[in-house]
Amino acid sequence: KQICPLCCGILQQVSDENWQREFIETIEKAPYTFNKFFLAVSVPVCLIVRHYTIYHDLQSRFGDLSSYPKELGLEVKDLVKWILGPLICNNLNKEFKPKANFEIRVAFQHEETNKEHIPYVQDVPQKSKRRKYVRDQDSNRTVNDILSTMKLDQFPKTLSPVKNPATFHVTYYRAPFYVSGRYLKLVRGLSQSPWVINGERKSEESVQEIIQKHVMEYFQCEDCKFNSSGREDVDVRMLGRGRPFALELIGCKRIVKDREQYQKLQDLINATGAGYVAVVDFQWTSKRDVGLLKEGEERKKKTYRSVIWVSEPVPKLDIEKLQNMEPFQIVQKTPVRVLHRRTLMERNRTIFKITCKILSDHLWIVDMCTQAGTYIKEFVHGDLGRTYPSLGNILQRETDILFLDVMDVELDYPPKITDPDHVVFLARSALPIEYEIKDLAGSIIKD
């Protein structure tokens, strides 16, 4: 069968029932689940050369064709889409959608003619004068831009025949899928993300790994990116309603939006991380909503509970004054402990409320509501004067922090779907902070 030299046999193939059957079988074997799809088609760059050759050949035969566009209407790849799109819809019961998150990419190649464009582009500078990027001399766009400016006598007079038809291969692309929730970290000594220093792991697991392990298996994704609304130190627990987080799932082979499935996955994560990590409000979300995690990063409020040490007893009246203070600002230089990885600068932060529970002359439980981004440990001990005023400045005593818990991150994301009583139940599985100080030498615990 003679092969069309203009399309290198592509249109002949996609119109053939045997080829169509092979194409559908290829897609059926793909390890992806989808309901809606977008079809992307790429054709050999030689088709552009042959397109302009036939255009100028017609011009030499019939005279001026300036009233006809050089594009001559339809491109081969558009015709291929018109054939293959309905073919997929009808045979696989799928819906074509121009902006679908799942793409079927069909690429045609033709080795026999893959260098036909080289003589036309080899003298073209790769770097554009007006743009910073390097031009790809093999791209359809570059070749088309060059050939559109050429004259009739620069093209061959006839199309050279082709011996073999173009071949094809199919690849798939799924836009990142997003899931979100809140996590509770119930123990100390567990980092939020993998903790590696100089190639050596400092902890066996992390919150991120415990959560994403089952998520990646369930969605069969290639990679996963963990995003959260801030992070707590490795020795700090995250209690209360938990910290909002989102996972960006890359290359998912399956997509699920059924709430019952998310509940089962949440239960599985909680069973695996029992006593260490718990997840609530687990659900699918959108890329736009994930932006809420970082939106107003420093405007939201966070609530903390801490155990602090005070060098000397403080009069009851001074304690009452501390608790009745109006919101006030502090200035914090980048703490010494993070100076190796953070820019040296001053940060203004607001302390909204402080409440105290006196356990002994030297041990207090202090609850603080502060602006997000406040370095709480440094606010308590002053960080060698780098935070002013500190709690020690206000009390005129030497102070230090022994234990710290994050009790709330004020953010209306993601939507609440877990029973609030169950969230409280999970949070209560963490040891109350009062019990953590029972073994401290010299402490006196009052009821």
Side-chain angles (χ1 to χ4, degrees):
K1 189 176 181 180
Q2 192 173 15
I3 298 170
C4 172
L6 184 57
C7 69
C8 295
I10 292 176
L11 294 178
Q12 290 168 294
Q13 290 185 91
V14 299
S15 302
D16 182 75
E17 290 185 1
N18 292 329
W19 187 96
Q20 292 179 354
R21 192 178 302 111
E22 178 188 351
F23 175 73
I24 292 298
E25 288 175 356
T26 300
I27 296 177
E28 284 181 317
K29 293 176 182 177
Y32 291 88
T33 59
F34 64 97
N35 293 316
K36 299 177 181 179
F37 72 96
F38 174 73
L39 182 63
V41 175
S42 62
V43 295
V45 69
C46 70
L47 265 62
I48 302 176
V49 178
R50 290 170 172 259
H51 170 93
Y52 279 101
T53 298
I54 201 72
Y55 179 86
H56 288 297
D57 179 54
L58 292 173
Q59 191 175 45
S60 66
R61 295 186 187 197
F62 302 107
D64 183 25
L65 296 178
S66 59
S67 59
Y68 296 91
K70 287 187 178 181
E71 290 75 13
L72 293 176
L74 299 173
E75 294 186 23
V76 170
K77 66 178 183 179
D78 291 327
L79 294 170
V80 172
K81 284 183 184 180
W82 289 0
I83 295 172
L84 298 187
L87 187 70
I88 297 171
C89 293
N90 297 333
N91 285 271
L92 300 179
N93 194 28
K94 307 298 182 183
E95 179 184 348
F96 177 84
K97 186 178 180 182
K99 294 185 178 181
N101 290 328
F102 183 73
E103 286 187 18
I104 300 174
R105 297 176 172 179
V106 184
F108 289 90
Q109 300 94 23
H110 195 246
E111 293 295 326
E112 197 177 324
T113 59
N114 65 355
K115 294 183 179 180
E116 277 192 353
H117 65 289
I118 299 298
Y120 303 100
V121 299
Q122 60 186 0
D123 296 330
V124 177
Q126 285 190 311
K127 195 165 185 179
S128 172
K129 294 181 180 180
R130 291 182 297 173
R131 300 179 178 87
K132 296 181 180 179
Y133 66 81
V134 176
R135 298 180 74 170
D136 180 5
Q137 292 184 334
D138 293 327
S139 73
N140 287 18
R141 179 177 178 179
T142 300
V143 174
N144 188 66
D145 288 346
I146 294 169
L147 297 187
S148 64
T149 62
M150 293 175 60
K151 296 180 181 179
L152 174 64
D153 57 3
Q154 294 177 277
F155 287 92
K157 294 183 178 180
T158 58
L159 292 177
S160 59
V162 293
K163 298 178 181 178
N164 300 298
T167 58
F168 79 99
H169 74 275
V170 182
T171 57
Y172 308 91
Y173 169 78
R174 172 163 271 140
F177 186 67
Y178 299 87
V179 296
S180 65
R182 285 177 174 256
Y183 74 81
L184 288 78
K185 192 178 86 174
L186 307 173
V187 296
R188 306 190 192 282
L190 184 67
S191 60
Q192 185 195 73
S193 55
W195 188 13
V196 181
I197 299 178
N198 296 327
E200 181 182 350
R201 285 201 66 136
K202 297 298 182 180
S203 61
E204 292 184 6
E205 286 189 300
S206 64
V207 173
Q208 174 182 336
E209 290 168 308
I210 291 173
I211 295 174
Q212 74 180 25
K213 174 184 176 182
H214 295 293
V215 175
M216 290 185 68
E217 287 178 358
Y218 185 80
F219 288 95
Q220 301 172 32
C221 57
E222 299 168 2
D223 198 6
C224 178
K225 294 182 181 179
F226 186 88
N227 302 280
S228 65
S229 180
R231 62 168 58 227
E232 67 283 338
D233 291 340
V234 67
D235 60 344
V236 177
R237 297 186 297 184
M238 179 67 240
L239 304 178
R241 295 189 299 147
R243 184 183 296 278
F245 74 91
L247 293 175
E248 179 182 350
L249 307 180
I250 300 170
C252 294
K253 298 208 169 33
R254 65 183 298 191
I255 292 294
V256 177
K257 294 186 177 182
D258 180 55
R259 180 165 290 186
E260 289 185 7
Q261 296 300 320
Y262 283 91
Q263 182 62 51
K264 290 180 180 178
L265 192 51
Q266 176 177 296
D267 293 342
L268 180 60
I269 295 169
N270 291 347
T272 303
Y276 298 93
V277 174
V279 169
V280 298
D281 298 332
F282 193 57
Q283 57 198 280
W284 72 275
T285 188
S286 67
K287 181 179 180 179
R288 178 177 57 84
D289 288 343
V290 170
L292 295 173
L293 286 175
K294 304 300 180 183
E295 193 174 277
E297 183 82 13
E298 296 179 355
R299 293 197 299 271
K300 57 180 179 283
K301 297 179 182 179
K302 294 185 179 179
T303 303
Y304 301 86
R305 176 161 292 173
S306 63
V307 175
I308 71 165
W309 171 82
V310 184
S311 60
E312 299 175 23
V314 177
K316 186 176 181 180
L317 184 61
D318 289 347
I319 296 174
E320 290 178 355
K321 287 182 179 179
L322 174 67
Q323 298 185 109
N324 293 327
M325 288 180 68
E326 294 292 327
F328 61 95
Q329 276 207 339
I330 62 172
V331 178
Q332 294 190 303
K333 285 186 178 179
T334 303
V336 173
R337 64 186 172 94
V338 298
L339 199 52
H340 64 286
R341 55 187 171 87
R342 294 285 176 87
T343 304
L344 175 60
M345 60 181 294
E346 289 187 349
R347 299 169 176 83
N348 296 317
R349 297 291 184 261
T350 302
I351 310 298
F352 296 101
K353 182 69 177 176
I354 299 176
T355 57
C356 307
K357 179 182 179 181
I358 311 303
L359 302 176
S360 71
D361 287 342
H362 300 285
L363 293 174
W364 298 10
I365 292 180
V366 178
D367 290 348
M368 292 169 276
C369 178
T370 73
Q371 179 182 351
T374 303
Y375 291 105
I376 298 299
K377 295 175 181 177
E378 284 68 24
F379 169 64
V380 173
H381 59 63
D383 196 28
L384 304 174
R386 299 171 69 83
T387 291
Y388 187 86
S390 66
L391 188 59
N393 296 139
I394 296 170
L395 296 175
Q396 297 183 353
R397 303 286 191 279
E398 186 179 348
T399 54
D400 205 350
I401 192 162
L402 305 178
F403 299 106
L404 180 63
D405 293 337
V406 185
M407 302 305 295
D408 187 38
V409 178
E410 188 184 86
L411 185 67
D412 292 330
Y413 177 84
K416 298 177 184 178
I417 57 175
T418 302
D419 185 347
D421 291 338
H422 184 62
V423 178
V424 173
F425 170 77
L426 291 171
R428 283 181 177 172
S429 63
L431 186 69
I433 202 168
E434 293 91 335
Y435 287 85
E436 293 190 295
I437 60 175
K438 278 191 172 182
D439 295 331
L440 290 176
S443 67
I444 301 174
I445 306 298
K446 294 183 178 180
D447 292 334

